[in-house]
Amino acid sequence: MIFWRDWKELLAVLLLPIILVVVLNFAFAGLFGDDDKVSMDLQLAIVNQDDETEAMEQLNEKLVNEAALGEQEVTAIVETAGDIQPIQLLSDYLESDELKDWVTVHSLEEKEAAEKVKAGDLDGMLIIPQGYTADSLYASFAGKSPTNSLIYKMEEETIDSSALQQLIQGFINQLNYQFAIQEITDGADIDVKLPEGGFEDLGTEHDFTITQYFTISMGALFALFVVTTVATKTGVEIRSQVFNRILLTNSHPMRFLIGKMVSTIILVILQIIFVLIVSHFILGVFPDRSLAFWVGILVMIVLLALVMSGLAAIFTAILLRMRNIDAANGIFMLVLLLLGTLGGGFVPIYMMPGWLQEIGAWTPNGLFLSMLTDWVQFENLSFIVQPSILLIGTFLLFTFIGLALFPKRGKAQ
Amino acid sequence: MLETINLSKSFKGKKVVQDLNFYLNDGESVGLLGPNGAGKSTTISMISTLIKPTSGKIILNGVDAVHKPGEIRSVSGVVPQELALYQELSAYENLKFFGSIYKLKGTELEKAIQQALEFVGLEDRKKDLVKIYSGGMKRRLNIAAALLHRPKILILDEPTVGIDPQSRNHILEAVRALNQQEGTTILYTSHYMEEVEQLCDRLYIMDHGKVIAAGTKEELLSILSTEDKIKVELSRIDEDIVQQVETIEGVRKIEVAELQLRIIAAKGSNLISKLVHLTEQHHIQLINFHTESPSLEDVFLHLTGRKLRD
């Protein structure tokens, strides 16, 4: 009730995240396509060191010398393999309708490509090594692993360069898969298909939009604000002797701590649900989703609320131990800023360096964001089991720390 | 009966309360008097079990309350010096919250709230938020919150600091009524002499963490029974006459305030006739004079060498 009466705090926690979701949604819309789907301009250099005209001759030699096949058999294979041109397939793949809008291919010599990648003009370079065609065809017909594979090079790992790497890996996987099918079917009716370009390759059932990202990340960020608000209110209770008055009623000090945890759980759940629902109605964040999807979201919110209550327990215990309440509140704000930044609350997580992203994935809000990202895309329980266990573990750890730090007599310093 | 034996408290090696021996009989109203920093609030905090003494004992009806703080907590109500209230809640909501922590429920809780509000005269304003209350109203509500569970002992730590005379009178009347009509035992700390004089049967005077005098008002005043306090108003005052008054046998202290002399002298020193004689010599008109009985303020001044509110 005290929280509800503090309308400034209430407005900050309820409306600010929604305002931020709307503002950030429009501010970052330029980075993404009109339909909010990821849109990029990836610059890729292709360095082709292979001579395709000699490929069939090389394949013939390999089949005779290494596979020890008969002349008739070798001739049949070479004839069939002539229809398959892995480099052309790669080229078609990169220039397909799905990819051409966001991948620009430059055919360069290795030296020039390396310089441009280093200078940041290109996101990465793909080297097709000498003998690649013959080797990959031989590997597929002989059922062996290729000894010569495509080489992808990038200067540093960024979201763009990683996306390129994923695209190329997707192509290689698809090619290997097709060759494997070909082997099973004994080479009959060979029809090597191109992989489909774009992030759909990852197998998502639903697109993950920037609006969804900001809605979830702001919800999680402001859940942290709720924890600091609960801590600030505790500070006021200690300073104004209300806490002492509660102690003097002979009520067990632990009731105070549990009360703080329960109120944090309720406030976080209500706050995130409010942000999600209002954002959904304003921006249509989660269109056409099933009841099961929303139930899943609710379960994850409850898990985050549990972790936040554990954090509130730690903050409360620290406040009761510290003499300087202002210093304690300052520390809590620092923790909030740190968790908020690492967990993708202030800057989209994919814009951060890889190592920071890895650390961020261990923060409660980062974990929540990653879990919801998976849930929004796949709606698959198997994707969220592990992060859910991690969140429950974090809740238990935080609660244990909070209880351990809580003064035995419950006395404020 | 509540009793403390050699109660002491140190903070960072500095003794704030030293060897305090003190008792409080059932139904009594006892004042703890002393200037700011005398150790009154620390004493109250120890007695109300909020802080643990460094040494010494607190005994309530034969039970060691230091190790069993619940004994005191269950029978006492504490009115802290600070306003221990939620500013964002109404008076009613505050009392409902604190009453529920005292495990009061349903009609019992509603009745307790109603009685407490009536007692402090806030029933008409019970729905207003505390933050819009005047200082005096907040102080009254602060008392009401300590009365919900009908405590046998009410401990008040300077409950009238910084409020208007009307609210102050209301509080004093309410405390007196609790003591005299309900039989509530009162422990009242203040640095307002007139409040403790008005309310308390017995007094403890504290200074620098120690009890320097204790007893009934009369017993304390008897400390100064060998002295008279005389105020003299003259048509003019010069240095010469002040010096001559100081030399009169029996005069112990003299203060000058505009055209007034305040003199403390030994009883039976025949000061008035000597003063009349002196003023005639100096051609000064003696306009007015009267003899006052010493007050507790004078007792405090006598014991500590300084005024209570210095």
Side-chain angles (χ1 to χ4, degrees):
Chain A
M1 183 169 295
I2 295 152
F3 191 81
W4 301 126
R5 289 281 162 80
D6 191 348
W7 62 271
K8 285 180 194 164
E9 197 84 44
L10 196 64
L11 282 180
V13 172
L14 292 182
L15 294 185
L16 205 55
I18 292 163
I19 293 168
L20 282 171
V21 168
V22 174
V23 170
L24 289 170
N25 181 52
F26 288 114
F28 280 82
L31 277 181
F32 298 81
D34 291 340
D35 57 357
D36 281 355
K37 287 179 187 171
V38 178
S39 170
M40 296 176 180
D41 184 18
L42 306 173
Q43 302 294 320
L44 176 68
I46 298 281
V47 179
N48 188 358
Q49 297 173 340
D50 193 24
D51 186 351
E52 285 174 272
T53 55
E54 294 175 3
M56 290 308 120
E57 203 174 317
Q58 288 168 351
L59 177 64
N60 196 0
E61 271 176 34
K62 274 172 107 62
L63 287 167
V64 172
N65 298 334
E66 293 175 27
L69 295 176
E71 196 178 327
Q72 201 176 349
E73 213 173 348
V74 170
T75 308
I77 290 172
V78 170
E79 199 174 314
T80 310
D83 296 334
I84 308 167
Q85 295 168 322
I87 295 173
Q88 187 57 45
L89 282 171
L90 175 64
S91 176
D92 292 347
Y93 171 59
L94 293 172
E95 286 171 13
S96 63
D97 289 343
E98 290 86 357
L99 288 186
K100 68 180 178 189
D101 288 342
W102 36 300
V103 181
T104 307
V105 176
H106 308 266
S107 292
L108 300 172
E109 290 299 316
E110 187 176 2
K111 192 182 170 193
E112 189 187 359
E115 283 170 359
K116 289 196 169 182
V117 169
K118 195 173 182 182
D121 296 339
L122 298 175
D123 295 306
M125 59 190 272
L126 184 68
I127 300 172
I128 302 166
Q130 194 176 6
Y132 170 76
T133 306
D135 188 60
S136 55
L137 288 172
Y138 172 75
S140 67
F141 284 105
K144 292 178 180 173
S145 299
T147 51
N148 247 339
S149 62
L150 298 173
I151 303 160
Y152 179 71
K153 287 183 178 178
M154 55 187 175
E155 183 62 18
E156 59 179 284
E157 193 172 340
T158 64
I159 189 74
D160 286 4
S161 58
S162 297
L164 264 178
Q165 191 179 19
Q166 280 178 30
L167 284 174
I168 291 156
Q169 191 59 47
F171 170 78
I172 294 167
N173 292 344
Q174 189 70 11
L175 204 61
N176 290 341
Y177 170 71
Q178 292 296 340
F179 284 147
I181 289 174
Q182 175 194 357
E183 194 186 353
I184 290 164
T185 57
D186 207 18
D189 299 328
I190 299 168
D191 181 18
V192 178
K193 288 176 185 170
L194 284 174
E196 288 178 14
F199 283 120
E200 282 78 5
D201 274 353
L202 298 172
T204 58
E205 290 177 9
H206 298 272
D207 296 326
F208 188 67
T209 66
I210 191 72
T211 315
Q212 287 166 340
Y213 178 89
F214 284 127
T215 305
I216 296 166
S217 63
M218 284 302 122
L221 177 67
F222 277 80
L224 287 168
F225 274 112
V226 169
V227 176
T228 52
T229 302
V230 170
T232 309
K233 297 279 178 207
T234 306
V236 173
E237 285 173 323
I238 293 168
R239 193 174 280 163
S240 69
Q241 303 281 322
V242 167
F243 175 70
N244 282 344
R245 174 160 267 164
I246 293 169
L247 277 186
L248 290 176
T249 60
N250 233 353
S251 92
H252 197 284
M254 210 54 89
R255 273 185 70 185
F256 181 76
L257 188 71
I258 292 166
K260 290 289 165 196
M261 292 178 72
V262 171
S263 58
T264 306
I265 290 171
I266 294 168
L267 289 170
V268 167
I269 290 173
L270 292 177
Q271 186 259 336
I272 300 184
I273 287 177
F274 181 81
V275 172
L276 256 60
I277 289 179
V278 174
S279 301
H280 176 67
F281 281 113
I282 295 174
L283 300 166
V285 184
F286 304 108
D288 308 323
R289 301 306 293 250
S290 64
L291 181 65
F293 169 80
W294 287 103
V295 171
I297 293 267
L298 183 65
V299 169
M300 284 173 247
I301 292 171
V302 171
L303 288 176
L304 181 72
L306 284 173
V307 179
M308 293 295 126
S309 75
L311 198 58
I314 295 176
F315 285 2
T316 303
I318 289 173
L319 269 169
L320 291 173
R321 282 193 172 271
M322 281 185 74
R323 289 179 190 279
N324 190 333
I325 291 170
D326 292 330
N329 283 332
I331 292 169
F332 301 155
M333 194 50 75
L334 276 178
V335 172
L336 181 149
L337 292 173
L338 189 68
L339 291 178
T341 307
L342 290 174
F346 297 108
V347 179
I349 204 158
Y350 52 78
M351 288 187 171
M352 296 196 290
W355 63 274
L356 263 184
Q357 288 185 37
E358 276 181 38
I359 297 172
W362 287 93
T363 61
N365 48 319
L367 204 55
F368 175 74
L369 178 63
S370 138
M371 191 162 65
L372 253 74
T373 306
D374 285 343
W375 183 248
V376 168
Q377 291 180 93
F378 305 105
E379 211 176 315
N380 186 333
L381 278 176
S382 64
F383 278 73
I384 60 165
V385 170
Q386 195 192 357
S388 298
I389 292 168
L390 274 173
L391 280 179
I392 292 168
T394 312
F395 159 65
L396 293 174
L397 178 70
F398 282 2
T399 307
F400 176 76
I401 295 170
L403 292 174
L405 287 176
F406 195 74
K408 278 181 187 165
R409 278 170 77 97
K411 177 70 193 81
Q413 294 296 306
Chain B
M1 189 180 85
L2 179 70
E3 187 182 8
T4 70
I5 302 166
N6 295 329
L7 197 65
S8 299
K9 181 70 188 176
S10 301
F11 291 114
K12 291 182 180 173
K14 191 188 172 193
K15 281 202 166 184
V16 181
V17 174
Q18 296 181 50
D19 300 322
L20 185 84
N21 292 298
F22 161 99
Y23 69 92
L24 191 59
N25 287 321
D26 292 346
E28 245 191 333
S29 177
V30 171
L32 204 54
L33 195 66
N36 288 329
K40 302 189 300 292
S41 292
T42 306
T43 303
I44 291 288
S45 293
M46 285 191 285
I47 291 173
S48 60
T49 72
L50 272 177
I51 57 172
K52 219 174 176 177
T54 309
S55 62
K57 287 182 179 177
I58 301 169
I59 310 287
L60 177 74
N61 298 325
V63 178
D64 180 358
V66 174
H67 296 105
K68 290 186 176 174
E71 295 292 321
I72 284 188
R73 290 179 183 181
S74 59
V75 296
S76 66
V78 179
V79 180
Q81 205 175 116
E82 292 81 7
L83 295 164
L85 301 165
Y86 288 107
Q87 302 286 323
E88 296 87 358
L89 300 186
S90 68
Y92 174 81
E93 287 162 346
N94 263 287
L95 295 183
K96 192 166 186 179
F97 172 73
F98 290 116
S100 63
I101 300 180
Y102 276 118
K103 299 186 176 66
L104 299 174
K105 287 175 188 167
T107 50
E108 190 190 8
L109 174 61
E110 290 300 325
K111 198 176 162 188
I113 293 170
Q114 190 59 31
Q115 282 179 346
L117 284 169
E118 278 174 17
F119 196 75
V120 295
L122 288 173
E123 65 272 33
D124 296 339
R125 303 287 303 274
K126 66 179 180 183
K127 288 183 179 170
D128 292 348
L129 298 185
V130 172
K131 64 182 174 189
I132 64 164
Y133 272 16
S134 69
M137 289 164 73
K138 286 177 185 173
R139 289 260 163 220
R140 280 145 65 187
L141 184 63
N142 206 28
I143 294 173
L147 298 175
L148 289 163
H149 61 305
R150 301 183 77 79
K152 289 180 181 164
I153 304 171
L154 185 64
I155 301 170
L156 302 103
D157 189 6
E158 308 214 15
T160 58
V161 172
I163 60 169
D164 57 285
Q166 195 188 348
S167 286
R168 192 176 173 194
N169 281 340
H170 201 117
I171 288 171
L172 294 177
E173 287 304 319
V175 174
R176 196 203 312 273
L178 269 174
N179 178 239
Q180 292 180 356
Q181 292 166 25
E182 309 278 328
T184 308
T185 307
I186 305 287
L187 176 58
Y188 191 98
T189 80
S190 180
H191 60 259
Y192 292 116
M193 192 67 74
E194 59 277 19
E195 287 184 3
V196 256
E197 275 191 82
Q198 200 179 330
L199 282 177
C200 303
D201 307 320
R202 283 194 304 118
L203 298 170
Y204 286 86
I205 297 180
M206 283 187 81
D207 194 30
H208 296 117
K210 290 179 181 170
V211 170
I212 54 172
T216 62
K217 185 182 164 185
E218 290 71 27
E219 284 169 345
L220 290 173
L221 288 174
S222 70
I223 293 171
L224 297 182
S225 61
T226 58
E227 291 178 348
D228 277 333
K229 188 176 172 187
I230 301 154
K231 272 188 192 171
V232 183
E233 197 177 342
L234 305 173
S235 58
R236 75 181 160 82
I237 292 177
D238 55 34
E239 238 178 69
D240 194 30
I241 193 165
V242 174
Q243 281 177 358
Q244 291 203 21
V245 171
E246 275 178 336
T247 59
I248 296 173
E249 196 184 342
V251 170
R252 290 176 181 166
K253 195 168 181 182
I254 183 165
E255 282 177 27
V256 183
E258 294 182 0
L259 296 176
Q260 208 176 58
L261 289 178
R262 291 174 190 165
I263 305 160
I264 294 175
K267 269 192 190 303
S269 53
N270 199 17
L271 187 66
I272 302 300
S273 63
K274 289 171 184 168
L275 270 174
V276 170
H277 184 65
L278 256 179
T279 50
E280 277 174 3
Q281 274 184 345
H282 285 78
H283 305 289
I284 294 172
Q285 194 186 345
L286 198 156
I287 298 167
N288 185 15
F289 77 88
H290 69 271
T291 307
E292 281 181 358
S293 300
S295 67
L296 286 174
E297 187 84 45
D298 300 317
V299 173
F300 189 83
L301 186 68
H302 173 80
L303 291 169
T304 65
R306 59 195 173 115
K307 286 186 175 176
L308 194 54
R309 270 168 260 174
D310 277 351

